[in-house]
Amino acid sequence: MANVVVVGAQWGDEGKGKIVDWLSEQADIVVRFQGGHNAGHTLVINGETYKLALLPSGVLRPSKLGVIGNGVVFDPQAFLDEVTRLKGQGVAISPENLRIAENVTLILPLHRELDALRESSNAGTAIGTTRRGIGPAYEDKVGRRAIRLMDLADLDALPHKIDRLLAHHNALRRGLGLEEFDGGVILKDLTALAPHLLPYAETVWRLLDLKRREGKRILFEGAQGALLDVDHGTYPYVTSSNTVAAQAATGSGLGPSAVGYVLGICKAYTTRVGQGPFPTELDNDIGRKIGERGREFGTNTGRPRRCGWFDAVLVRQAARTCGITGLALTKLDILDGFDTIEVCTGYMLDGKEIDHLPAGEGAQARVVPIYETIEGWKEPTANARSWADLPAQAIKYVRRVEELVGCPIALLSTSPEREDTILVQNPFEA
């Protein structure tokens, strides 16, 4: 029985939440391994809509254990707010069904303020972040000055750690002409949060190793998408963590041998939020039509997503950098009714044909997509639950995507509802 890693194969917003929720029925443990509460997942279950940001999607299933791994950056207030909201919808969240890595880095108000300041600046520092403090928190983590969850268990040592953090941040604030942060206020706030957070704290790497040895099935839930990876994405318009599948091991404390099947999630078209290159973007009526049909607005931010045709070059690239075993294709129904559909099969760059997105920012902006035209279909695919429910031309489109990406389709999603899913290959049994 393979453990399964779910990763986005585009720029995020591919529908990972629904797929993780669908797969979690077969899993014992669902683990978030990177990102923070900038990752919005919308799930529709029996007509009820649930919006998750920080919590693993598996928490919506009562018998499953959710885990927030060490690779996540953790906003305590956002966590408590999300738990309260979900409890209001009848979802029980407690240390019985959720554990948080004791060595997870905390997002503090100073991180959120710095993030927003950079995005609002006229100094060319804006990259389209969610202004939630994700990047600054990761900076402090690699700078070895972060406050971690375990630090709240030793309040006597916490003032020194806050001073170490503020030696950096207050120097920045002085340079920006801003008032310095008071370490005493941060200490007071963290002291008040400690009893609400520490019951969830866990030595996660040890817990997961024990569960794996017991034969429990583990589902690793990625956030964002592979094209937002800080190393392999469209840098600098990326997130501040590694979003590729290998991070499932690092961000949870399990070794690479614990990672089995890698399921890449991609839409039947392409979307992107924020700034950065987007070769197949449709800044026209077709793009707006796709956006309206697909309700392409950020779960957490409400920002409209940029829309374009399916880019097989980028998904193929993500399949290689993530080691994707199979694909889950979502939102096929949004393409219903188009006379023709374009698929990007390659790029032209400065007069030469290339088969990948180059790493350079300037080159990424200059690539021109090469399109293949595919006949559309008039019959609906929405709510289909078997191949027999799909129009023949829609099946041809799916098969062509498989060919171009070089990965088999394992799952097809035809609506936000949990049950509107066509299973081709079960990742847990592959």
Side-chain angles (χ1 to χ4, degrees), residues 364-378:
Q364 289 175 355
R366 295 197 308 276
V367 297
V368 177
I370 299 169
Y371 284 118
E372 175 181 310
T373 302
I374 297 175
E375 181 184 343
W377 54 91
K378 298 300 181 184

Side-chain angles (χ1 to χ4, degrees), residues 250-394:
T250 306
S252 66
L254 282 178
S257 61
V259 176
Y261 191 104
V262 179
L263 182 67
I265 317 296
C266 62
K267 287 175 180 169
Y269 50 96
T270 310
T271 64
R272 175 162 203 170
V273 172
Q275 301 183 51
F278 187 167
T280 65
E281 183 173 12
L282 296 169
D283 187 14
N284 56 26
D285 289 342
I286 295 176
R288 286 183 282 276
K289 182 178 181 179
I290 292 173
E292 289 166 6
R293 281 188 175 187
R295 298 178 182 176
E296 296 296 351
F297 298 92
T299 299
N300 286 324
T301 64
R303 291 186 295 180
R305 298 178 185 135
R306 300 154 63 191
C307 298
W309 294 122
F310 186 82
D311 191 331
V313 180
L314 291 182
V315 177
R316 183 170 62 238
Q317 194 161 320
R320 304 300 181 269
T321 58
C322 289
I324 290 174
T325 314
L327 288 173
L329 191 66
T330 66
K331 291 198 167 185
L332 181 66
D333 53 303
I334 305 306
L335 299 182
D336 291 356
F338 282 96
D339 292 329
T340 58
I341 297 168
E342 305 289 332
V343 176
C344 175
T345 60
Y347 300 135
M348 294 299 296
L349 175 62
D350 301 334
K352 288 186 176 182
E353 185 172 340
I354 58 174
D355 63 357
H356 67 284
L357 187 70
E361 183 180 357
Q364 289 175 355
R366 295 197 308 276
V367 297
V368 177
I370 299 169
Y371 284 118
E372 175 181 310
T373 302
I374 297 175
E375 181 184 343
W377 54 91
K378 298 300 181 184
E379 303 91 337
T381 63
N383 309 116
R385 298 184 180 182
S386 72
W387 283 109
D389 296 332
L390 295 177
Q393 196 56 42

Side-chain angles (χ1 to χ4, degrees), residues 55-363:
L55 295 176
S57 298
V59 299
L60 298 179
R61 293 190 182 270
S63 61
K64 310 304 177 182
L65 176 65
V67 172
I68 295 177
N70 57 275
V72 172
V73 283
F74 181 83
D75 187 314
Q77 194 56 57
F79 167 72
L80 295 175
D81 290 346
E82 189 169 338
V83 167
T84 299
R85 177 166 45 78
L86 287 173
K87 283 184 177 179
Q89 292 184 274
V91 180
I93 308 291
S94 75
E96 295 298 314
N97 67 343
L98 179 70
R99 309 300 290 166
I100 304 170
E102 61 185 358
N103 53 338
V104 75
T105 292
L106 301 185
I107 298 175
L108 305 179
L110 56 81
H111 296 126
R112 293 193 296 271
E113 187 172 331
L114 179 59
D115 203 359
L117 187 69
R118 287 171 172 170
E119 284 297 303
S120 303
S121 170
N122 293 322
T125 54
I127 58 171
T129 78
T130 57
R131 305 179 182 225
R132 297 184 178 220
I134 308 296
Y138 274 119
E139 290 175 35
D140 283 344
K141 177 180 179 177
V142 298
R144 301 180 297 278
R145 55 181 173 264
I147 305 296
R148 302 192 290 175
L149 179 57
M150 64 177 69
D151 296 330
L152 305 190
D154 186 359
L155 295 177
D156 291 337
L158 192 53
H160 165 71
K161 294 174 181 178
I162 292 171
D163 288 343
R164 180 179 61 192
L165 177 70
L166 291 184
H168 172 79
H169 279 274
N170 280 340
L172 273 179
R173 295 178 69 83
R174 285 193 298 271
L176 295 168
L178 299 174
E179 183 179 352
E180 295 184 17
F181 273 103
D182 183 341
V185 172
I186 296 175
L187 177 62
K188 181 181 177 182
D189 290 344
L190 291 176
T191 301
L193 286 167
H196 300 286
L197 302 178
L198 289 175
Y200 293 92
E202 180 66 75
T203 307
V204 157
W205 66 265
R206 183 175 180 275
L207 171 69
L208 293 178
D209 181 64
L210 288 171
K211 296 296 184 184
R212 183 176 67 88
R213 292 175 187 275
E214 291 172 5
K216 301 298 184 184
R217 286 176 164 180
I218 303 173
L219 179 61
F220 299 92
E221 177 181 8
Q224 291 91 38
L227 300 176
L228 292 175
D229 186 277
V230 70
D231 287 303
H232 300 289
T234 48
Y235 191 91
Y237 302 101
V238 292
T239 194
S240 298
S241 63
N242 287 111
T243 59
V244 294
Q247 180 64 17
T250 306
S252 66
L254 282 178
S257 61
V259 176
Y261 191 104
V262 179
L263 182 67
I265 317 296
C266 62
K267 287 175 180 169
Y269 50 96
T270 310
T271 64
R272 175 162 203 170
V273 172
Q275 301 183 51
F278 187 167
T280 65
E281 183 173 12
L282 296 169
D283 187 14
N284 56 26
D285 289 342
I286 295 176
R288 286 183 282 276
K289 182 178 181 179
I290 292 173
E292 289 166 6
R293 281 188 175 187
R295 298 178 182 176
E296 296 296 351
F297 298 92
T299 299
N300 286 324
T301 64
R303 291 186 295 180
R305 298 178 185 135
R306 300 154 63 191
C307 298
W309 294 122
F310 186 82
D311 191 331
V313 180
L314 291 182
V315 177
R316 183 170 62 238
Q317 194 161 320
R320 304 300 181 269
T321 58
C322 289
I324 290 174
T325 314
L327 288 173
L329 191 66
T330 66
K331 291 198 167 185
L332 181 66
D333 53 303
I334 305 306
L335 299 182
D336 291 356
F338 282 96
D339 292 329
T340 58
I341 297 168
E342 305 289 332
V343 176
C344 175
T345 60
Y347 300 135
M348 294 299 296
L349 175 62
D350 301 334
K352 288 186 176 182
E353 185 172 340
I354 58 174
D355 63 357
H356 67 284
L357 187 70
E361 183 180 357

